[in-house]
Amino acid sequence: MSTPGDVSGPLAPGAGSLLEEVAAQLGMTAAQVETVLAEAGIVLKSPAPADRRLRLLRLAVDGVKHSGEAFAFEQSFSPGVWAIAHPANSAGKTSLLEFLVWPLRGGPRDLPPDVRSWVRTLRLDLAVAGRPTCIVLETSPNGRSAPECRIWSADTEQELLQQPEGRLRLVAEAAGADESSRAVSAFLMDALRMEHTSLWQAKGGADGEGAAQMHGWPSYFGACYLNPGGDEILLGDVSAVGLPGRLLELFIDIPYSTALTQLSVAGKREAKVVRQQARRAQDDAAARRQERDAWQRELDEVRDKLSALRAQSARDVSPVMQAADAAGAELQRCRQELEAAEQALAELHTARIRAQQAQLDAQETWQARRVLGRLNPVCCPRCEEPLEQQRRVKEKESAECAVCTRTLPVVGADTAEAVFEQLQEDVANAAAAEDKARAQRDGAKEAAQQASQAHQRAAAALQEVLAVSRAYAQMRELELRAALLEGQLAATGTPLPPAEEIPGTSLVLDQVHAAVRASVEAAADQLFPAMNAQIVELATRFGVQNLDRVSLDRAGRVNAVKAGVKTAFKRLSRGDRLRMRIATVIALLRVGAARGVATHPGLLLIDSVAAEEVTEIPARTLIAELQAIAKELPDLQVVLTTAQPELVEGLLPADHIITSRGEHLF
């Protein structure tokens, strides 16, 4: 058995040193660099080895099958290789393995729905980074409601295995499949000191220009539950660009590998923002140029038309227009005077009519009094009642009217004559005033007619001039349009300020990314040769034929050379791909052990280990070597399934083989 090279020395500088290095390059302080990183959601931490061991202690599950038969299964686990073996199909081998996967992953991966509906309570006791932990899932009858999840903790493994749940410390609880998965993921990532991995997808996002894709514990768990042999991914079971390499860096514990992916995503996100801003600025500038070009073309056309029209319009129309305006003003004045004269004539005519009416009324009144004064009425003219004799006498004695008893007016003939003369004089004066107003009206009317004729002549002259120079109105419109276009061009002619070539945030991210990448590459250069040697040795022991060398890279590619021929991982046989995956994980554990760290959980779950084998010998070789390595790595725990119990008989201790003489395992 070969041993890894010297990989135990310091592999990376502290975070403070990196910040100081970048700050010196940029002329900043380390605090300023750290602030820029914090604004991008990145905290650069000095590397510290994490304990990520997962060790199964006990599995207990009970429920009711579809037939109504109750079942209960309990199995304790210790380090080493374990086999779930049964020759019959549908005996429950994969289901038992999935009972381990469900609480470990936060949800089953390949558990048949009918078997899942049988489960009532599933409890897995395990040690998480040395911390005794219990994960319990409970479902309702027939699985009709979502499962409930509770996570408990204890001080010792003995306490965890012997005490009921109620006497343990409750760490977390959740209801529903999604919430249960999140609770398990959050707990395990926190306990194993893991962070979410953000990988940039070049064509992701709503705009298709790239977006970050987050990966957490379910993706990481693929490094424990190895893919079936037909898959073409070295590590994990999620097909995402960059994820296999990220898992490799994570579980080999390359310092700053998480920070490197964060910086890469942040830099690409910032570059995307800068690129979009530049494109928007270019689009705006192009749109502005197109708009200004259109305005300039129109202005040139307007100016050409103006020049042509001005050449055609040599005659000055200003005097004619002034004459027309003066004639219009004179016409308006004459019409106003005519209107005033008409009003005065109407008023004087009314006054004359009233004077004549007053004269006529006076004459009629005098004649009536003379006639009525001779009357001798015998009754009331209204009710025809006879007048009393006393009233007649009183009328004669005191001149009191016998009808109304009022004093009879005494009007002399000379007084009446004087009144008549005055009224006649008033009539004559009113008639004279009316005649004078009529004369004035006639004069104003004549003046208005003359002004109207003069205005008509001026308008005709203007029309004649405009007929000669019809372009005047068009020239005015063109001049206004030219002024508007010149104003628009002047207002939009200021050039945009030049954009910064590299924004400050991008520059800092790029410099920190370069410094961290150099550290990661240095660590990979120190760790990967030891990994390559381990993978070649282990894969050969597991039965990969003619393997000359491998060259693992940070993208998660194994780059194998078989019999002198470069062979891509996906070109290997299905059985060899499984052996290479197992060899890679064991190599991670070996290199970690040589460095005194446990950065891989040290747990391998393998379903149908011999499904890809043609003969029994390669499968027994693989299992035998796994058993030998388990003695070398005391924390290694492997659980595999096989439909060929003879593959493990004689290789594994009997108490490490989970089987049954019956038709089913549970």
Side-chain angles (χ1 to χ4, degrees):
M1 178 191 72
S2 64
T3 59
D6 183 13
V7 294
S8 59
L11 298 176
S17 299
L18 285 176
L19 293 173
E20 291 288 351
E21 175 187 343
V22 173
Q25 294 172 351
L26 298 175
M28 304 171 65
T29 66
Q32 290 173 326
V33 174
E34 198 168 17
T35 299
V36 173
L37 293 178
E39 290 175 351
I42 300 172
V43 177
L44 199 62
K45 301 177 182 178
S46 296
D51 183 356
R52 298 198 179 105
R53 291 172 299 171
L54 285 176
R55 183 162 53 86
L56 304 178
L57 299 177
R58 181 177 62 188
L59 171 68
V61 58
D62 64 75
V64 179
K65 297 182 181 180
H66 184 67
S67 62
E69 176 188 357
F71 74 92
F73 178 87
E74 182 173 332
Q75 177 66 51
S76 296
F77 292 91
S78 60
V81 180
W82 290 77
I84 303 174
H86 198 286
N89 293 327
S90 301
K93 298 182 292 295
T94 298
S95 295
L96 281 182
L97 192 66
E98 285 291 328
F99 287 158
L100 294 172
V101 171
W102 190 348
L104 280 173
R105 185 173 177 266
R109 195 174 75 170
D110 295 319
L111 183 64
D114 57 337
V115 177
R116 182 172 180 172
S117 68
W118 299 349
V119 177
R120 296 294 175 269
T121 304
L122 192 158
R123 170 173 173 161
L124 179 64
D125 299 310
L126 68 162
V128 181
R131 178 181 179 183
T133 303
C134 170
I135 301 176
V136 179
L137 298 168
E138 291 185 353
T139 64
S140 65
N142 300 321
R144 292 175 181 172
S145 66
E148 295 182 356
C149 173
R150 289 185 299 277
I151 303 175
W152 306 85
S153 178
D155 293 327
T156 64
E157 293 182 8
Q158 183 178 6
E159 178 186 356
L160 181 74
L161 297 174
Q162 294 181 355
Q163 296 292 343
E165 294 174 15
R167 301 189 65 177
L168 304 177
R169 289 190 301 276
L170 182 63
V171 176
E173 60 182 337
D178 292 340
E179 289 299 320
S180 296
S181 177
R182 279 191 282 268
V184 170
S185 297
F187 170 76
L188 289 176
M189 289 188 66
D190 180 68
L192 300 178
R193 290 176 53 191
M194 290 182 168
E195 299 180 25
H196 283 84
T197 290
S198 180
L199 297 176
W200 188 259
Q201 302 298 314
K203 296 185 178 181
D207 55 9
E209 294 189 19
Q213 186 179 67
M214 301 299 293
H215 295 276
W217 177 247
S219 296
Y220 299 160
F221 187 68
C224 296
Y225 193 175
L226 300 187
N227 292 335
D231 284 355
E232 299 177 355
I233 305 173
L234 178 63
L235 282 180
D237 57 1
V238 177
S239 180
V241 177
L243 185 58
R246 176 68 189 107
L247 294 180
L248 182 64
E249 291 180 343
L250 176 69
F251 290 120
I252 201 176
D253 194 33
I254 292 182
Y256 296 118
S257 62
T258 298
L260 184 62
T261 59
Q262 293 174 342
L263 286 163
S264 176
V265 168
K268 291 175 181 176
R269 183 186 294 114
E270 186 71 17
K272 172 184 173 181
V273 172
V274 172
R275 186 171 62 251
Q276 290 178 334
Q277 289 175 343
R279 186 168 61 248
R280 284 195 294 268
Q282 292 173 355
D283 292 344
D284 291 344
R288 179 177 294 183
R289 284 194 300 271
Q290 291 177 356
E291 194 172 39
R292 284 178 53 81
D293 290 346
W295 290 341
Q296 187 63 54
R297 287 193 299 271
E298 185 180 358
L299 179 59
D300 294 341
E301 293 174 359
V302 168
R303 286 172 175 170
D304 291 342
K305 291 179 181 178
L306 277 172
S307 298
L309 290 173
R310 284 171 181 151
Q312 297 173 2
S313 335
R315 185 174 178 182
D316 187 6
V317 300
S318 298
V320 183
M321 291 187 66
Q322 292 174 358
D325 291 342
E330 179 64 18
L331 176 60
Q332 184 178 10
R333 186 188 64 78
C334 291
R335 284 178 174 174
Q336 290 175 348
E337 290 182 355
L338 175 60
E339 184 179 353
E342 292 280 4
Q343 181 67 26
L345 176 60
E347 292 175 354
L348 291 173
H349 177 72
T350 300
R352 179 184 62 77
I353 295 299
R354 288 177 179 172
Q356 290 177 341
Q357 185 65 43
Q359 182 186 25
L360 181 61
D361 289 346
Q363 290 176 347
E364 289 178 350
T365 300
W366 173 248
Q367 293 296 334
R369 284 181 177 175
R370 293 178 61 186
V371 173
L372 291 174
R374 297 187 183 95
L375 293 177
N376 186 16
V378 295
C379 65
C380 176
R382 184 176 184 184
C383 63
E384 298 183 354
E385 288 291 328
L387 297 177
E388 297 176 356
Q389 186 62 31
Q390 294 177 353
R391 288 194 176 190
R392 292 179 180 278
V393 174
K394 200 172 182 178
E395 180 178 332
K396 292 179 179 181
E397 295 178 351
S398 57
E400 182 180 288
C401 179
V403 178
C404 65
T405 69
R406 295 180 180 178
T407 304
L408 292 172
V410 178
V411 180
D414 54 349
T415 302
E417 189 65 26
V419 171
F420 291 153
E421 289 178 0
Q422 181 63 46
L423 290 174
Q424 188 174 5
E425 183 179 354
D426 291 343
V427 171
N429 292 336
E434 182 181 4
D435 291 341
K436 183 179 179 180
R438 183 175 288 105
Q440 290 177 348
R441 189 276 314 271
D442 292 342
K445 187 174 183 181
E446 179 65 21
Q449 290 176 349
Q450 292 177 359
S452 177
Q453 292 172 359
H455 180 262
Q456 290 175 356
R457 289 191 297 271
L462 179 60
Q463 290 297 326
E464 181 182 357
V465 172
L466 292 178
V468 176
S469 179
R470 295 181 180 276
Y472 179 75
Q474 187 178 1
M475 287 172 59
R476 292 292 300 272
E477 292 179 0
L478 289 174
E479 287 171 349
L480 292 174
R481 182 59 182 166
L484 176 62
L485 291 170
E486 289 170 353
Q488 290 174 331
L489 287 169
T492 59
T494 304
L496 294 174
E500 296 181 6
E501 294 183 0
I502 303 179
T505 299
S506 294
L507 181 59
V508 172
L509 290 175
D510 288 346
Q511 291 294 330
V512 177
H513 183 268
V516 171
R517 184 178 65 241
S519 176
V520 169
E521 289 175 350
D525 290 343
Q526 188 172 3
L527 291 172
F528 277 23
M531 283 286 298
N532 293 335
Q534 290 293 318
I535 292 173
V536 171
E537 182 213 338
L538 291 166
T540 301
R541 288 175 59 183
F542 293 158
V544 177
Q545 301 294 319
N546 303 317
L547 182 62
D548 299 329
R549 65 180 183 274
V550 297
S551 179
L552 201 62
D553 61 25
R554 291 180 45 239
R557 295 184 293 262
V558 74
N559 303 309
V561 175
K562 293 188 66 177
V565 178
K566 293 182 179 180
T567 307
F569 182 77
K570 64 181 180 180
R571 299 298 181 188
L572 297 174
S573 69
R574 296 167 67 89
D576 280 353
R577 287 203 291 269
L578 177 59
R579 294 185 186 92
M580 291 290 281
R581 290 191 191 96
I582 299 173
T584 300
V585 174
I586 299 298
L588 289 172
L589 294 172
R590 275 187 170 181
V591 172
R595 297 168 57 204
V597 298
T599 54
H600 185 279
L603 173 65
L604 287 181
L605 306 178
I606 308 171
D607 192 19
S608 302
V609 68
E612 313 299 339
E613 306 299 349
V614 178
T615 65
E616 177 181 330
I617 296 176
R620 283 185 63 86
T621 300
L622 172 61
I623 296 170
E625 291 299 333
L626 284 174
Q627 178 69 357
I629 293 170
K631 296 177 181 178
E632 171 194 337
L633 299 173
D635 290 332
L636 175 63
Q637 205 169 30
V638 180
V639 181
L640 56 87
T641 68
T642 178
Q644 300 172 267
E646 62 274 12
L647 294 180
V648 296
E649 292 174 355
L651 294 179
L652 302 182
D655 59 355
H656 277 53
I657 301 175
I658 303 171
T659 187
S660 171
R661 296 181 179 275
E663 185 179 355
H664 301 288
L665 290 170
F666 61 91

